[in-house]
Amino acid sequence: MAIGSFLVAVVVGLTGMGGGALMTPMLVTFFGVPPLAAVSSDLVAAAVMKPVGSFVHLRRGTVNLRLVAWLCAGSVPAAFCGVLIARALGTGEGVQSVIQKGLGIALLIAAAGLAVRGYLAMRDRAEGRTPETGRRTAAPGEPAATEMPSVAVRPVPTALVGAVGGLVVGITSVGSGSLIIVALLALYPALKANQLVGTDLVQAVPLVMSAALGHLLFGEFTLSVTVALLAGSIPGVYLGSRISSRAPGGLIRRALAFVLLASALKMFGVGNAQTVWALLAVLLLAPAFWMVLRVRCGLPPLPWTRTADSSGSDTGRDPDRVAAQ
């Protein structure tokens, strides 16, 4: 359990996503922890883990504190209310099944959000967007320690995003990164990927603490599970945050989307054979679909395709350079 939480925490520190979306399904699927107990234990562990990653990003200057404040205005009370809703449903087998299904839906939404983020990155390349002209995602190879852009904070939409995310987190433990970070990307496209990660990790600290407090009081917190999670997650999130503050995590996000899909299928009770066939279908069809989208956006079907410009010279493998020409 500690080894699994270490690997999940590295992903959390690197991308700002995947905490509850990976940790809770891991507990339910591989260790047989009841869904409500897994949610409670994961949130309490996250309340200790996330400040570690947040501290690294605060030192690197990749956090927008005004956004954090408005997100917390909605998420903190909503997260506590989410715990009360989960508790009001009861603790029977039927309720555990409902929570597990809700977790599966949240995982599918998170995976879809990652796909949307990848599509925005591809459009940025196709349109030749730069950080100065409104690039919505980090440029390939762009370092994380860059100056925080000035963005006009939109208080009401930001607080609503926090409220919805907080409610989902309180019930399922998923959403503090996987859902909220995608909503932030849509609201504030000027923020770079690492700045989205840093801002999201910091806002998740009071959010998760609120949900953790609720689960300590009203949930099914299990100390032995939480201790095992903390043993692996604290060093993992520190390592992931150190890497994230200096390098992009696009490849990790692609792998994360795949894992989220697999976890969602298990939460819906799909059998092992059906899950394997579904994942194989995704592995075969997703690249072909992505190649079609690249062509429709004016990019070569493969990112490493060499393309000649009008003078006949080779433009190389850089899709940004191809799109610009």
Side-chain angles (χ1 to χ4, degrees):
M1 198 178 289
I3 293 172
S5 67
F6 173 81
L7 298 175
V8 171
V10 171
V11 176
V12 173
L14 189 61
T15 68
M17 307 178 184
L22 295 179
M23 200 83 79
T24 304
M26 178 190 75
L27 294 175
V28 174
T29 303
F30 295 105
F31 298 100
V33 180
L36 187 56
V39 170
S40 298
S41 301
D42 174 38
L43 280 171
V44 174
V48 180
M49 173 185 69
K50 285 188 180 290
V52 178
S54 301
F55 176 72
V56 175
H57 280 277
L58 282 170
R59 289 188 60 188
R60 300 289 181 186
T62 56
V63 179
N64 188 312
L65 293 177
R66 289 192 63 204
L67 281 181
V68 170
W70 280 107
L71 284 169
C72 291
S75 65
V76 172
F80 196 86
C81 290
V83 179
L84 297 179
I85 292 173
R87 187 60 179 176
L89 294 174
T91 58
E93 183 176 337
V95 174
Q96 298 284 1
S97 177
V98 169
I99 292 177
Q100 188 165 324
K101 296 297 188 298
L103 182 59
I105 293 172
L107 292 171
L108 287 178
I109 295 174
L114 286 170
V116 170
R117 185 172 179 178
Y119 177 73
L120 289 176
M122 182 172 61
R123 290 297 300 270
D124 282 342
R125 291 194 294 271
E127 297 168 6
R129 289 174 178 261
T130 65
E132 292 73 25
T133 59
R135 188 180 180 92
R136 291 162 292 192
T137 56
E142 180 180 280
T146 54
E147 185 179 355
M148 177 69 67
S150 176
V151 296
V153 177
R154 302 163 63 184
V156 175
T158 304
L160 285 175
V161 166
V164 173
L167 192 65
V168 175
V169 170
I171 298 174
T172 68
S173 83
V174 177
S176 62
S178 305
L179 304 181
I180 292 179
I181 199 170
V182 175
L184 283 178
L185 177 62
L187 282 175
Y188 303 101
L191 290 179
K192 298 178 178 65
N194 61 290
Q195 295 157 351
L196 284 166
V197 172
T199 299
D200 177 71
L201 274 175
V202 172
Q203 69 83 27
V205 172
L207 160 60
V208 171
M209 285 184 174
S210 173
L213 176 61
H215 277 277
L216 280 172
L217 296 174
F218 307 110
E220 294 186 7
F221 166 69
T222 305
L223 179 61
S224 58
V225 174
T226 303
V227 170
L229 295 181
L230 288 175
S233 61
I234 291 178
V237 75
Y238 180 79
L239 175 63
S241 296
R242 293 282 296 183
I243 298 172
S244 172
S245 64
R246 296 187 180 278
L251 182 60
I252 297 295
R253 284 192 292 273
R254 291 182 180 88
L256 177 57
F258 186 79
V259 174
L260 290 177
L261 176 60
S263 300
L265 293 175
K266 296 305 296 180
M267 291 300 100
F268 286 120
V270 179
N272 291 333
Q274 293 88 337
T275 298
V276 170
W277 282 112
L279 295 177
L280 285 175
V282 170
L283 283 176
L284 293 174
L285 297 177
F289 179 70
W290 204 252
M291 289 169 63
V292 172
L293 287 179
R294 287 180 61 88
V295 172
R296 288 177 63 88
C297 290
L299 294 172
L302 298 174
W304 55 83
T305 302
R306 290 183 177 272
T307 304
D309 60 17
S310 58
S311 64
S313 62
D314 192 352
T315 60
R317 301 181 182 181
D318 186 358
D320 285 330
R321 186 177 174 188
V322 172
Q325 295 183 351

